[in-house]
Amino acid sequence: MKSLRLDSLEIFEDVVRCGGFRAAALGRGVSSSAISQSISVLEEALGIRLLNRTTRSVSPTEAGERLLERLGPALHDIRTAIDDLNQLREHPSGTVRINAPGPAADHVLCPLAFEFMEIYPDINVEIVSEAAIIDIVEHGFDAGVRFGHQLAQDMIAMPLGPALEYAIVASPDYLRRRGRPGSPDDLLTHDCIRRRFPGGTMVTWKFANNGNEVEITPKGRLTLSSAHQERQAALAGSGIAHLFDDYVRKDVKQGRLVELLFDWKKKLPSWYLYYPNRRHTSAAMRAFLEYIRNRKWPAIGE
């Protein structure tokens, strides 16, 4: 067997994790042809094909899957050993990769990252917005963000900010045309802007008032897949939207949207940052965790 380069093994891991040469190339800042050449050299050195290639997708062969299964922990140990040298530096360096749903990334994680990077100029932060729940270890992330009740038991978690609230909003134009609902049940006669999860499930709307809880499946002609799209639809007068308060607070203050059913707001758990229960955590990730622990969070609505 010919000699191997460590970076070619890392590139192979990236290609499988990213699902193709182009995405891996973008992440590394090189060309797709350079990535493809590196994989070809690795396969030649090993004397076995590692990837099935088609015009539309790239997937590991049985040999590739076996290599990847052993490769992940080994590369993590190598990176940790190298990263331990960061303790000898005055300022930690490295990269923190975090997977989070769009609302958490927009209103919590991105502002945190901007502040954090000012304090730690040698640390890179990569945030990937994704609604589906994934295995963050398998996909190469240092941490993820989810609601508290969605966390795996083998993860360590810490809250990111205060409890969350949804707001029911509509444009003044929509309310002039259709009237204003007085209760959650009234929404069933309105054009609501619905959202579907990546797995296909339709989002239900939950309300609470003086111990009474109501859950409805909204009806409406428009179904979307992101909070940004819902906000745009509400501003356009297309219907009543169900959005995190953070998304619409400024619109409500400036009169572009009107908040409805304020007395029926139901508080939700806060977002949680979660990460693997590992003995070794990178210096960059340790710095990020310490930053979060020491941060003072604003109250709801601030």
Side-chain angles (χ1 to χ4, degrees):
M1 185 178 70
K2 298 181 180 179
S3 61
L4 300 176
R5 291 169 53 95
L6 177 61
D7 62 345
S8 65
L9 295 173
E10 291 180 315
I11 289 171
F12 167 66
E13 183 189 44
D14 280 351
V15 169
V16 176
R17 175 173 53 82
C18 296
F21 294 145
R22 185 173 182 274
L26 287 172
R28 286 183 163 266
V30 298
S31 66
S32 297
S33 59
I35 295 292
S36 178
Q37 177 64 21
S38 177
I39 296 298
S40 297
V41 170
L42 175 61
E43 290 177 326
E44 183 180 352
L46 293 174
I48 193 167
R49 186 160 53 90
L50 299 174
L51 294 173
N52 293 313
R53 303 166 174 83
T54 70
T55 55
R56 294 187 177 182
S57 66
V58 174
S59 62
T61 63
E62 181 182 355
E65 289 179 349
R66 289 190 182 186
L67 177 61
L68 193 66
E69 184 179 349
R70 301 290 297 274
L71 196 60
L75 287 175
H76 176 264
D77 288 344
I78 292 171
R79 291 177 185 129
T80 300
I82 295 172
D83 189 73
D84 281 344
L85 298 178
N86 264 326
Q87 304 308 309
L88 303 178
R89 294 165 51 93
E90 183 179 355
H91 303 291
S93 64
T95 299
V96 176
R97 298 187 73 243
I98 306 174
N99 180 278
D106 290 342
H107 299 289
V108 180
L109 207 51
C110 282
L112 280 178
F114 304 155
E115 297 172 3
F116 174 74
M117 293 172 70
E118 287 290 326
I119 301 171
Y120 295 95
D122 295 329
I123 294 180
N124 304 316
V125 178
E126 180 180 351
I127 298 172
V128 177
S129 296
E130 189 168 17
I133 297 176
I134 66 166
D135 184 329
I136 59 171
V137 176
E138 179 183 347
H139 287 80
F141 290 97
D142 296 293
V145 177
R146 289 294 180 267
F147 285 128
H149 66 276
Q150 295 179 321
L151 302 180
Q153 293 183 351
D154 59 345
M155 295 286 168
I156 299 173
M158 62 172 64
L160 289 176
L164 301 168
E165 287 185 334
Y166 273 106
I168 304 298
V169 296
S171 71
D173 178 62
Y174 175 88
L175 297 176
R176 280 192 294 270
R177 289 186 283 109
R178 298 291 304 272
R180 185 176 184 134
S183 71
D185 287 338
D186 290 345
L187 292 170
L188 296 174
T189 64
H190 278 267
D191 225 349
C192 295
I193 301 164
R194 307 190 302 167
R195 191 194 313 181
R196 193 182 298 278
F197 285 125
T201 305
M202 197 70 70
V203 176
T204 59
W205 297 8
K206 299 178 181 180
F207 304 89
N209 177 272
N210 293 327
N212 297 319
E213 296 199 0
V214 176
E215 180 175 349
I216 69 167
T217 299
K219 298 179 180 180
R221 295 180 297 151
L222 182 61
T223 301
L224 302 171
S225 61
S226 78
H228 281 302
Q229 294 167 355
E230 284 188 66
R231 175 179 171 270
Q232 290 173 345
L235 289 169
S238 299
I240 296 176
H242 170 262
L243 291 160
F244 280 122
D245 185 71
D246 287 333
Y247 269 103
V248 296
R249 188 178 302 130
K250 185 178 293 186
D251 294 320
V252 171
K253 286 182 178 179
Q254 296 178 357
R256 292 190 294 266
L257 293 175
V258 177
E259 184 168 2
L260 310 169
L261 305 178
F262 185 85
D263 293 338
W264 283 91
K265 275 192 171 184
K266 180 179 175 64
K267 285 186 172 58
L268 301 168
S270 65
W271 295 111
Y272 276 78
L273 181 86
Y274 67 99
Y275 56 98
N277 186 7
R278 288 174 174 163
R279 186 163 58 91
H280 294 294
T281 303
S282 72
M285 185 61 182
R286 285 195 296 272
F288 188 69
L289 293 174
E290 188 65 22
Y291 168 74
I292 292 174
R293 289 190 189 101
N294 294 331
R295 196 178 191 281
K296 294 183 179 179
W297 299 99
I300 295 178
E302 291 184 359

